[in-house]
Amino acid sequence: MVRITEHDPEPASASPRDAEAHKLEGNRAFGEGRFEDAERHYTAALEASASTSDEGASDEPDETGNASARREDTREDDRATGAGTTDGETRVASSVVRSNEDGKTTTSRRGVVDRARATYFANRAACRLKLARPNEAAEDCTRALRCDESFVKARLRRAEARETVDPKDLEGALADCEAAAADADADAGLRLHAETAAARLRPLVEARREALKEEMLGTLRGLGDALLGNFGLSTKNFEAEKDATGAYSVRFVRNPS
């Protein structure tokens, strides 16, 4: 007697085409303001295109190097979304990116470049910025840059996320903008945007550095006064003087004002 056993067919494995379908659905949802739905589709696109290309790399990709391997793809993305224009930071940060349909992986002198997965990460980051989750958005942008170090949009989006997190990472945001502005292969509109953002951030970063310096000096003065008080002195009894060469010397003041 022949026994026939039925087996459920194995599910078909995901393919790059499935990933692109999810990306397109995500783009549509994003355009309609359905950011949670868009986020789910970009996550599905990442799962469908699962690879190890974004794993095992350092959190901070190299800020220098040649991005010419994907230069034309970047320009096509810019034309598709208008993100290469100079109509302000929101356009660059919140617009989704449309990668090439083939989603192929290429190789540059800096290693493997996977623009498709970089796009999915960057697009999900845009959703998470809209959903007020900047820490997750910054992480997605970092992973996008692991896939494609030349992806200027992901770098600028990470700058926005770093400026939005609590506490703000202004130094990191400035570093991203300066790196994007210095990328000779980047779209001219994106470079202009990066330069404008960097010019706005520099005085904020300098002010923060000065505030931290004053706070540190205040703490040191307090410690010095506590120690010198045992001898009837304070830090006001010592003044630093700068000479013509730029060197400093300390002068004792017997009766400080």
Side-chain angles (χ1 to χ4, degrees):
M1 182 178 187
V2 178
R3 189 173 185 177
I4 300 175
T5 305
E6 293 185 2
H7 296 279
D8 293 332
E10 294 183 1
S13 59
S15 69
R17 182 170 296 180
D18 296 325
E20 282 298 302
H22 279 296
K23 185 202 71 174
L24 293 175
E25 286 299 320
N27 290 356
R28 183 177 297 108
F30 189 96
E32 295 172 356
R34 295 183 287 111
F35 304 121
E36 290 182 348
D37 288 342
E39 179 188 19
R40 282 193 289 272
H41 278 295
Y42 295 134
T43 298
L46 285 164
E47 291 171 351
S49 63
S51 73
T52 58
S53 62
D54 63 309
E55 302 295 343
S58 63
D59 285 345
E60 294 299 328
D62 183 13
E63 301 293 352
T64 61
N66 188 0
S68 60
R70 302 297 291 176
R71 182 177 180 181
E72 291 304 319
D73 290 348
T74 302
R75 288 177 174 173
E76 289 178 13
D77 290 346
D78 294 338
R79 287 194 289 270
T81 63
T85 62
T86 58
D87 57 350
E89 295 177 13
T90 303
R91 186 68 175 277
V92 174
S94 62
S95 61
V96 292
V97 182
R98 293 164 177 79
S99 64
N100 285 348
E101 290 301 321
D102 56 17
K104 291 181 179 178
T105 299
T106 61
T107 303
S108 73
R109 75 174 189 178
R110 290 185 291 173
V112 175
V113 174
D114 191 340
R115 173 52 65 90
R117 284 178 63 77
T119 296
Y120 307 150
F121 277 121
N123 284 3
R124 191 171 68 174
C127 297
R128 290 175 170 180
L129 277 172
K130 289 290 188 181
L131 295 169
R133 288 151 53 195
N135 286 296
E136 294 174 67
E139 291 172 3
D140 270 351
C141 290
T142 295
R143 298 187 76 178
L145 289 167
R146 289 177 189 167
C147 295
D148 185 351
E149 294 175 329
S150 69
F151 202 179
V152 175
K153 289 182 185 179
R155 197 172 296 281
L156 290 175
R157 193 163 292 160
R158 186 172 67 175
E160 182 186 355
R162 285 175 163 177
E163 194 176 354
T164 309
V165 296
D166 185 20
K168 295 182 177 181
D169 181 9
L170 296 179
E171 299 251 5
L174 177 59
D176 276 336
C177 290
E178 289 180 335
D183 189 341
D185 294 310
D187 175 83
L190 290 177
R191 290 180 62 192
L192 178 60
H193 166 77
E195 290 167 0
T196 301
R200 176 179 57 80
L201 286 167
R202 282 190 193 100
L204 298 178
V205 170
E206 287 300 320
R208 189 181 184 109
R209 287 172 179 169
E210 285 298 317
L212 290 174
K213 184 174 72 173
E214 287 300 318
E215 181 181 348
M216 180 185 67
L217 289 175
T219 300
L220 291 175
R221 289 191 193 100
L223 292 173
D225 287 338
L227 177 63
L228 293 170
N230 296 322
F231 305 96
L233 300 172
S234 74
T235 54
K236 292 182 179 179
N237 290 105
F238 301 89
E239 290 185 353
E241 294 182 336
K242 187 176 183 180
D243 60 25
T245 65
Y248 284 88
S249 61
V250 178
R251 182 172 66 91
F252 178 75
V253 179
R254 187 173 297 278
N255 296 307
S257 57

